[in-house]
Amino acid sequence: MPRWSTSPTSRNRRASRLRDAPYRRSKPRRRALSAPPATSHRASAARVVVLASGAGSLLRSLVDAAAEPDFSAEVVGVVVDRECPAETVLGATRICPRDYADRAEWDRAITTAVADFEPDYVVSAGFMRILGPTFLARFGGRVLNTHPALLPSFPGAHAVRDALAAGVRVSGTTVHLVDEGVDTGPILAQEAVPVFVGDDESSLHERIKIVERRLLIEVVAAVAARGVIIDGRKAQIPSD
Ligand SMILES: Nc1nc2c(c(=O)[nH]1)N[C@@H](CN(C=O)c1ccc(C(=O)N[C@@H](CCC(=O)O)C(=O)O)cc1)CN2
Ligand SMILES: NCC(=O)N[C@@H]1O[C@H](COP(=O)([O-])[O-])[C@@H](O)[C@H]1O
């Protein structure tokens, strides 16, 4: 499987190469997306933009992990869709509020806002808005999302509430690539989290977030360092 590795070049050439890389197919049904080295403050670190909408605890964990000199990714920007605590985690932050004329216009606006940071990857960490076709055409194959349930169970905006309502004894967290569906993209990693008697949405969600913060950092580090091989509905991070 050919792997596209790109040597650090000018940002413009890199941005256009990144736009093309995810869509070149080496053979039917398989796409390989290498971890393009980024021309950033740390020559080898992949550039990551994080999307958030809420408390931003996962964002904070990722920013703290990426501050370590040997971490394979660097958080270069944050984009939020509303005023929220996540807005204050990193200096380089843009707000893309939902008050555009329609969803297509909002989709174009957030695509531009993210593209301005020239990311290699985008991480949705508590981002509560469905990304549209313009965004996915630009960053498809390079957008990760963390979801507080074991997909395909309990997709959507209220996963923890829905899992409790279903009476499950085990829930968990999923890190997946984002596609045009809602939480339907290829799964990269999952981890189970027990549901305790007496749990409410807050207690269970906090227990899930403890696992999420670690798993998201592990997956972002691995993808940034080794890329992702996408094979139809499945995705695999090559081993070391
Ligand atoms: N194209 C995609 N975009 C996003 C995905 C995805 O899988 N595909 N995941 C979400 C994150 N997410 C679950 O992990 C999620 C967030 C929000 C919703 C949703 O229904 N949003 C509503 C608004 C809900 C609200 O404001 O409370 C909406 O967009 O109309 C579903 C799943 C990130 N983006
Ligand atoms: N469907 C999307 C969704 O529910 N995402 C969830 O929002 C939380 C954000 O926490 P944070 O704001 O503390 O980082 C996380 O648990 C994340 O999985």
Side-chain angles (χ1 to χ4, degrees):
M1 167 67 62
R3 188 176 308 290
W4 289 285
S5 60
T6 51
S7 58
T9 64
S10 77
R11 287 186 165 182
N12 290 341
R13 285 206 304 277
R14 184 168 59 81
S16 57
R17 185 171 53 251
L18 285 175
R19 266 198 300 280
D20 303 335
Y23 297 98
R24 281 187 285 164
R25 286 178 181 273
S26 55
K27 55 184 178 185
R29 279 180 43 77
R30 290 181 71 83
R31 283 190 288 152
L33 178 65
S34 70
T39 50
S40 75
H41 303 305
R42 294 205 311 261
S44 60
R47 295 171 61 83
V48 172
V49 166
V50 179
L51 307 179
S53 301
S57 72
L58 274 69
L59 164 64
R60 162 61 64 197
S61 297
L62 190 54
V63 167
D64 291 348
E68 293 301 316
D70 59 352
F71 197 74
S72 56
E74 178 183 10
V75 180
V76 296
V78 175
V79 177
V80 297
D81 65 329
R82 64 187 81 172
E83 291 191 358
C84 57
E87 202 185 326
T88 61
V89 172
L90 195 76
T93 297
R94 296 279 194 83
I95 298 186
C96 234
R98 303 178 172 197
D99 57 5
Y100 284 83
D102 56 31
R103 199 177 267 262
E105 193 180 341
W106 174 83
D107 194 32
R108 285 191 293 274
I110 195 164
T111 301
T112 302
V114 171
D116 283 351
F117 289 109
E118 294 187 79
D120 298 307
Y121 294 99
V122 181
V123 173
S124 162
F127 189 64
M128 298 307 288
R129 190 89 165 137
I130 299 303
L131 296 159
T134 302
F135 192 92
L136 295 175
R138 184 68 180 272
F139 302 110
R142 296 188 282 142
V143 185
L144 286 71
N145 178 56
T146 178
H147 182 77
L150 293 175
L151 293 172
S153 298
F154 314 117
H158 307 289
V160 177
R161 179 198 69 186
D162 297 345
L164 281 172
V168 298
R169 301 307 171 89
V170 176
S171 190
T173 177
T174 302
V175 181
H176 64 96
L177 291 174
V178 168
D179 66 10
E180 64 289 343
V182 177
D183 300 328
T184 54
I187 291 172
L188 295 171
Q190 292 187 300
E191 189 163 325
V193 173
V195 180
F196 295 156
V197 172
D199 262 334
D200 60 13
E201 186 174 349
S202 170
S203 61
L204 176 55
H205 202 166
E206 279 313 308
R207 190 175 314 117
I208 291 172
K209 284 188 186 183
I210 293 167
V211 176
E212 273 193 294
R213 292 182 191 113
R214 170 177 51 76
L215 192 64
L216 182 62
I217 289 166
E218 288 171 1
V219 173
V220 169
V223 169
R226 302 195 296 275
V228 179
I229 296 173
I230 300 170
D231 177 6
R233 293 266 333 112
K234 293 194 173 67
Q236 191 82 33
I237 302 169
S239 50
D240 256 327

